[in-house]
Amino acid sequence: MRRLHRIPLAEPTEKYLAKRQKEVNAKKQAGTLEVEKEWSSSRKTQKMKDVVQVLRKMMGLRERCVYCLDSHGADIEHFWPKAPFPEKMFRWRNLLLCCTECGRMKSDQFPLEGGRPLLIDPSVEDPWLYLDFDPVTGNLTARFDAVSNAFSPKGERTVDILQLDRREALAAGYLKTWKRLGSLIRDYLPTRSQTPQQLAKNLIEEDEHGLLGWCFDGSGQNEPPFRELREQTPETWKICAGAARCPQNEPVSVRQ
Ligand SMILES: [Zn+2]
């Protein structure tokens, strides 16, 4: 997963969503709301196609799923599911792009704690605050917090609902990215023939799964070869970490 930044909609699209939401709210009030019918009638409109375009742009050139970053982002995802929460059905901040598999697993599951979601929304928070990566298996797991001496509840529920610790193809994808990132560092360290900026650019280009967040800010900073990079070349580390944290850090190359 990777922290994403929401792109504002064009004003007419924004107005369209507001109008549809108002209609939904009125129908809900009157007891005549049919959630699926309401949604499918809007999905065919040009304005909703515009919404999908913006979501695709948000997900970068590969248009990947917001949750797994591994499969194609196939359809609009309601972070707060539309059936139990129709009051958020047309709210722009509630719309994401996700793959068929993640969509099927999440479905209407939406755990709350004190009214707040126990599920990571990468468009509002850094997923690596709640997640850890296992460089041996390629699985994503909940992050352990040494202060509270417990695993992150939000991380645990996210991993459980999206089955991020038991999807073979997903783990293979994450491992591939981890190995590519590691190779770049291993090639760099003995010669240092690239500039730190060039190394940062190459890392970002290869980071298909948002792992740099884990490598620079999560426990990945203690894993070789990132640990060596941090200890041996603190200046390069700083430049690469800064570049990886910048909002425009989506990979730019397209790999199929
Ligand atoms: Zn997915």
Side-chain angles (χ1 to χ4, degrees):
M1 276 195 211
R2 129 176 336 116
R3 171 78 168 98
L4 293 164
H5 294 271
R6 195 166 282 280
I7 300 171
L9 291 175
E11 210 187 318
T13 318
E14 188 90 67
K15 278 189 177 154
Y16 171 80
L17 290 184
K19 181 174 147 266
R20 292 301 299 241
Q21 189 62 58
K22 219 171 148 185
E23 288 165 7
V24 165
N25 295 349
K27 285 180 187 171
K28 191 189 169 200
Q29 192 84 23
T32 57
L33 178 64
E34 291 177 71
V35 169
E36 285 307 327
K37 206 172 140 192
E38 198 69 36
W39 182 247
S40 60
S41 72
S42 79
R43 272 302 269 120
K44 297 174 198 114
T45 62
Q46 184 53 48
K47 287 281 181 290
M48 286 312 278
K49 284 179 189 159
D50 295 344
V51 168
V52 173
Q53 279 309 108
V54 179
L55 285 171
R56 286 196 175 132
K57 206 171 157 198
M58 260 169 67
M59 294 313 303
L61 278 181
R62 295 187 186 87
E63 301 177 357
R64 293 280 165 93
C65 162
V66 67
Y67 298 124
C68 67
L69 285 184
D70 200 61
S71 303
H72 181 69
D75 204 359
I76 295 180
E77 141 79 356
H78 290 86
F79 181 68
W80 292 69
K82 62 184 180 307
F85 304 103
E87 66 279 12
K88 293 182 194 289
M89 199 195 298
F90 290 99
R91 295 266 180 248
W92 172 227
R93 272 174 303 174
N94 192 41
L95 305 182
L96 297 165
L97 194 70
C98 102
C99 76
T100 320
E101 203 176 359
C102 288
R104 185 175 50 78
M105 285 172 183
K106 180 172 170 263
S107 186
D108 281 348
Q109 294 190 79
F110 199 67
L112 294 167
E113 188 181 56
R116 298 167 76 103
L118 270 184
L119 195 73
I120 300 167
D121 179 352
S123 73
V124 301
E125 58 202 344
D126 178 1
W128 298 107
L129 293 173
Y130 313 100
L131 291 178
D132 209 345
F133 169 67
D134 182 340
V136 177
T137 61
N139 286 330
L140 296 182
T141 56
R143 183 170 172 161
F144 187 79
D145 179 23
V147 179
S148 58
N149 198 32
F151 287 100
S152 151
K154 188 182 271 194
E156 281 186 311
R157 295 310 299 270
T158 303
V159 167
D160 185 43
I161 286 172
L162 297 170
Q163 302 189 13
L164 299 174
D165 58 348
R166 61 205 114 131
R167 284 164 69 178
E168 261 181 54
L170 190 59
Y174 272 80
L175 272 186
K176 220 182 212 174
T177 294
W178 167 242
K179 281 178 187 155
R180 279 200 213 113
L181 297 175
S183 300
L184 287 171
I185 305 283
R186 282 193 190 89
D187 290 346
Y188 170 79
L189 279 174
T191 60
R192 302 185 196 178
S193 53
Q194 292 170 311
T195 62
Q197 288 77 9
Q198 186 60 45
L199 176 65
K201 187 172 170 276
N202 292 343
L203 285 169
I204 289 164
E205 277 180 7
E206 291 293 345
D207 185 22
E208 292 189 23
H209 294 88
L211 274 176
L212 288 177
W214 177 77
C215 296
F216 286 108
D217 293 318
S219 51
Q221 57 186 294
N222 297 315
E223 288 287 333
F226 279 83
R227 188 183 59 213
E228 284 78 3
L229 184 76
R230 182 165 56 84
E231 288 172 355
Q232 295 172 20
T233 61
E235 265 313 301
T236 303
W237 172 270
K238 226 166 89 185
I239 289 166
C240 291
R245 285 182 203 122
C246 119
Q248 279 81 38
N249 68 353
E250 291 90 5
V252 289
S253 66
V254 177
R255 186 189 302 271
Q256 290 302 323

